[in-house]
Amino acid sequence: MSNLFDPPVRVLLPDAPAAENRLLAALATHAPDDAMWLAPHLESMTLKQGDVLAEPGEPFTHVYFPETAVLSAICRMKDGGAVEVGTVGNEGLAGIAIFLGGEASANETVAQIPGAACRVPSSLFVNGAHGRPGLRRLVDKYVQAYLMQVAQTAACNRLHDIESRCARWLLETHDRVGGANSFPITQKYLAIMLGVQRTGVTVAAGALQDAGLIRYRRGDIRVLDREGLEAAACECYGIVRRYFDRLLP
């Protein structure tokens, strides 16, 4: 795995317990035999920020289940431009292209937020899923939710302003890391997430600070008002969260 990002900015959030992977937790509840089959094959690991899990045109060697790590699917253009097209956190898995029969990843998949994850070899997971309907059913539900998230992100990036998109991303990331006290993020990555130049990140963070929702300084962002941040975010945050909660309670 290679590393992509420059030194991090810290985002500080209220204390809360670490998250587990919701898809694996649902599997243990709804298909315990399948969970028992999968458990011995899961390898725990810690991902560093910028670790590249799959390059465009290359297959996923493993399927990843983030716990406190957050992964990003990034589309890169010939002119050097890049934008985030999807994210994966403790609600799901990375590597659905392999599960759907694809031979390669369409986009670059990287760790945007470092943290804990587990993984299983792709071939073992895919072959095992074919004979385990409980596992297959849960992954199918996740794929449905993930594709909805990708579509909503595309609409959000086109129709909503930078400040509300930035608020949405901070909320989504906070949810995915279980409300960890702090997590690293770079200005470079925020620019990719928003689809803007780095100056746009400064504008967005400055607007949220002026509203009293965060404290933005060189090196860190501190959330001061979670409820206010929810009010500042566009409706996409609530739409995506409710969809995942319905499919993967």
Side-chain angles (χ1 to χ4, degrees):
M1 293 183 295
S2 58
N3 199 279
L4 175 67
F5 293 122
D6 49 2
V9 174
R10 302 292 295 181
V11 178
L12 305 178
L13 295 160
D15 288 317
E20 64 178 353
N21 184 275
R22 290 174 59 185
L23 185 58
L24 294 180
L27 184 66
T29 299
H30 299 289
D33 290 343
D34 294 349
M36 290 179 64
W37 165 79
L38 182 60
H41 304 294
L42 291 170
E43 174 191 1
S44 296
M45 61 188 308
T46 299
L47 294 172
K48 301 186 300 293
Q49 187 178 56
D51 281 344
V52 179
L53 308 184
E55 298 277 5
E58 294 183 359
F60 276 88
T61 59
H62 292 78
V63 173
Y64 291 84
F65 297 88
E67 294 175 341
T68 57
V70 183
L71 312 180
S72 178
I74 295 176
C75 181
R76 295 189 178 277
M77 303 299 179
K78 290 182 179 180
D79 63 0
V83 66
E84 179 187 85
V85 294
T87 57
V88 180
N90 60 7
E91 76 286 349
L93 63 86
I96 61 174
I98 299 299
F99 187 80
L100 295 174
E103 296 181 355
S105 172
N107 300 298
E108 181 180 73
T109 301
V110 303
Q112 57 167 264
I113 301 295
C118 52
R119 69 180 186 178
V120 61
S122 296
S123 57
L124 186 150
F125 182 77
V126 172
N127 292 335
H130 288 308
R132 292 174 171 79
L135 174 58
R136 180 96 195 182
R137 184 163 52 251
L138 279 174
V139 175
D140 284 344
K141 286 185 176 182
Y142 171 69
V143 171
Q144 180 183 353
Y146 178 80
L147 293 177
M148 179 271 182
Q149 177 218 117
V150 170
Q152 194 72 33
T153 298
C156 184
N157 286 344
R158 174 64 180 86
L159 299 173
H160 294 149
D161 60 66
I162 299 173
E163 292 82 1
S164 61
R165 282 154 48 201
C166 187
R168 171 183 61 85
W169 184 89
L170 287 171
L171 292 168
E172 290 174 346
T173 303
H174 185 206
D175 292 342
R176 284 171 166 142
V177 300
N181 185 60
S182 65
F183 57 86
I185 185 174
T186 66
Q187 192 179 57
K188 178 177 181 178
Y189 171 70
L190 280 173
I192 291 174
M193 181 277 296
L194 296 171
V196 298
Q197 299 297 319
R198 293 195 191 191
T199 53
V201 173
T202 301
V203 171
L208 295 176
Q209 176 170 260
D210 291 344
L213 307 181
I214 65 171
R215 182 174 301 152
Y216 178 55
R217 296 177 178 173
R218 182 181 180 86
D220 69 80
I221 296 175
R222 182 179 296 272
V223 174
L224 304 176
D225 183 353
R226 164 82 191 200
E227 291 185 359
L229 201 61
E230 290 179 0
C234 55
E235 71 256 36
C236 298
Y237 169 70
I239 291 172
V240 173
R241 177 164 180 168
R242 287 191 295 272
Y243 202 83
F244 272 100
D245 287 345
R246 180 170 63 83
L247 291 179
L248 293 171

